[in-house]
Amino acid sequence: EVAMALEGTLRDFSLADIFQLIGLQRKTGVLTLRSAEDVVSISFLEGRVVGADSLNKRLEDRLGQVLLKTGTIGQDDLEKALKVQMETLERLGHILIRHEVISREGLRHAIEQQILQIIYRVFRWQDGDYHFSQETSIDYDHELVTPLGAESILMEGARMLDEWPIIEKRIPHRGIVFVPAPAARTVEVAADEELAELDDFEFDFDETPAPPPAAGRVKVSALEREILDLLDGRSSVDDVIKESPASEFETCKALYTLLSRALIREASRDELASARSEVESPAALAPSQASRIPWLAVVLVPLLVLSQLVAPRNPYPPLLGTGPNIVHRLQTA
């Protein structure tokens, strides 16, 4: 049995090695990982993951955002549940179940996605420190959290580590704006039995130029179809990740596949400028211009003139009165 140091750096002991040993030795405790960008804690019960939290928790890692992204709940339902949570301090998931907004199984799946999103991001860290605090027991939500085997997490984490560098060669930063290519007009979602053929295409390690799409309908996965619909000529990769129902990795992978199949391309400077000008067009300002008509003055000016005409007959001290400097006093009034 290999003993694991309780603390050290990820350069000396990789996250994969740490996970493997915690799983093999069926340890219970909390693994804390620190880097310049974040602090992440992962809870283990007898070698299986039962929780993960991030100090600088990204928007998509919050349970409510995971549920929104996957379309499990609506914005109104989330806001009502958060309001109840502020009053009762009850866990968000339990509130949603009690109000029958979500099923227990749906919530269990969302919590699992939230945990995995945090963990898979740590797999990409180049450097950092770790500390494992061994405990006799771990507090977690037994009703809603299904312990996750370290082995399955490691397998998926290793696949992501292999594929991320390939994706990032085609998508080097999150500010890129992609637009559908002409071939995207012919896409349709593939049937389940056709998805296996699409999976074989996914990654081209030789980076050969993409062949032009074949004539006829082009088959894509359901997620790729959704990503295509989000490409409006203004949304950057970062915007698409926030709107996508899938995780950061799966969204970027779908973009990579669409790029490789020549179904999308990077927007040109002219297209970006045109999209910006549409948003800032004068037509959008038209309603505010209409509101500048001095309707109040249209009503008050005749009343002011009338009051001046009847002023000599007013037995009470008039606003303007008669006498010298009448024009000046009228302007002042």
Side-chain angles (χ1 to χ4, degrees):
E1 184 176 280
V2 181
M4 183 190 82
L6 291 178
E7 58 185 324
T9 68
L10 294 176
R11 289 186 182 275
D12 298 333
F13 217 68
S14 74
L15 186 60
D17 292 334
I18 296 170
F19 262 70
Q20 194 167 23
L21 286 174
I22 291 175
L24 287 171
Q25 296 176 7
R26 298 174 62 83
K27 289 183 177 291
T28 295
V30 178
L31 175 66
T32 303
L33 302 132
R34 298 175 183 272
S35 74
E37 57 186 86
D38 205 354
V39 178
V40 170
S41 58
I42 304 170
S43 303
F44 290 86
L45 177 69
E46 296 181 353
R48 296 166 73 84
V49 174
V50 292
D53 203 2
S54 165
L55 182 65
N56 303 325
K57 192 173 286 184
R58 295 192 182 192
L59 188 67
E60 65 265 28
D61 289 335
R62 297 177 191 147
L63 178 60
Q65 294 303 316
V66 172
L67 293 168
L68 280 179
K69 275 170 69 75
T70 54
T72 311
I73 65 173
Q75 185 68 45
D76 289 345
D77 291 328
L78 177 60
E79 288 176 4
K80 288 175 185 174
L82 289 172
K83 188 176 179 181
V84 173
Q85 187 185 41
M86 288 179 65
E87 296 169 356
T88 65
L89 302 181
E90 191 180 356
R91 284 179 173 172
L92 180 64
H94 289 271
I95 294 170
L96 292 169
I97 288 176
R98 183 158 50 81
H99 287 83
E100 299 181 346
V101 175
I102 186 174
S103 68
R104 192 172 295 275
E105 189 56 40
L107 184 58
R108 190 177 288 118
H109 176 71
I111 291 173
E112 181 177 310
Q113 291 300 109
Q114 183 190 25
I115 291 171
L116 291 175
Q117 277 183 187
I118 295 172
I119 293 174
Y120 289 145
R121 196 171 295 121
V122 179
F123 268 89
R124 299 178 63 198
W125 287 8
Q126 299 296 317
D127 198 6
D129 300 324
Y130 75 87
H131 172 81
F132 184 75
S133 172
Q134 195 154 336
E135 310 286 347
T136 54
S137 64
I138 286 292
D139 179 33
Y140 75 100
D141 196 330
H142 297 73
E143 292 181 33
L144 297 174
V145 177
T146 304
L148 305 168
E151 304 81 12
S152 61
I153 293 175
L154 277 175
M155 286 178 62
E156 182 65 13
R159 181 178 71 86
M160 288 173 56
L161 282 177
D162 288 341
E163 295 177 359
W164 263 122
I166 303 167
I167 293 171
E168 287 176 338
K169 282 185 179 178
R170 300 293 302 274
I171 310 174
H173 62 87
R174 302 297 171 82
I176 296 177
V177 175
F178 291 113
V179 293
R185 299 186 194 120
T186 65
V187 302
E188 64 180 28
V189 176
D192 291 342
E193 59 270 16
E194 297 170 309
L195 289 175
E197 296 176 21
L198 292 177
D199 290 341
D200 293 338
F201 178 82
E202 283 177 350
F203 281 91
D204 180 8
F205 287 86
D206 296 329
E207 296 186 43
T208 53
R217 308 302 291 177
V218 179
K219 304 289 185 180
V220 296
S221 69
L223 175 60
E224 288 161 3
R225 171 74 261 185
E226 289 187 66
I227 299 301
L228 262 175
D229 291 339
L230 292 174
L231 304 180
D232 56 7
R234 295 185 299 272
S235 298
S236 65
V237 171
D238 198 42
D239 296 328
V240 172
I241 289 170
K242 289 173 184 173
E243 294 295 322
S244 167
S247 67
E248 175 187 20
F249 173 72
E250 293 300 333
T251 300
C252 288
K253 184 177 174 182
L255 284 169
Y256 171 91
T257 305
L258 292 168
L259 264 174
S260 300
R261 300 182 67 191
L263 295 173
I264 63 173
R265 59 175 175 79
E266 189 173 347
S268 67
R269 288 185 179 181
D270 289 344
E271 287 171 325
L272 291 174
S274 174
R276 244 181 252 115
S277 65
E278 284 178 17
V279 175
E280 300 165 0
S281 64
L285 300 175
S288 64
Q289 297 290 343
S291 66
R292 294 182 184 178
I293 297 174
W295 296 109
L296 190 60
V298 171
V299 176
L300 288 181
V301 166
L303 288 175
L304 189 64
V305 172
L306 181 64
S307 69
Q308 177 59 29
L309 293 174
V310 300
R313 302 179 184 181
N314 188 355
Y316 299 100
L319 173 65
L320 299 174
T322 57
N325 300 322
I326 183 64
V327 174
H328 172 70
R329 282 189 285 153
L330 180 62
Q331 288 174 339
T332 303

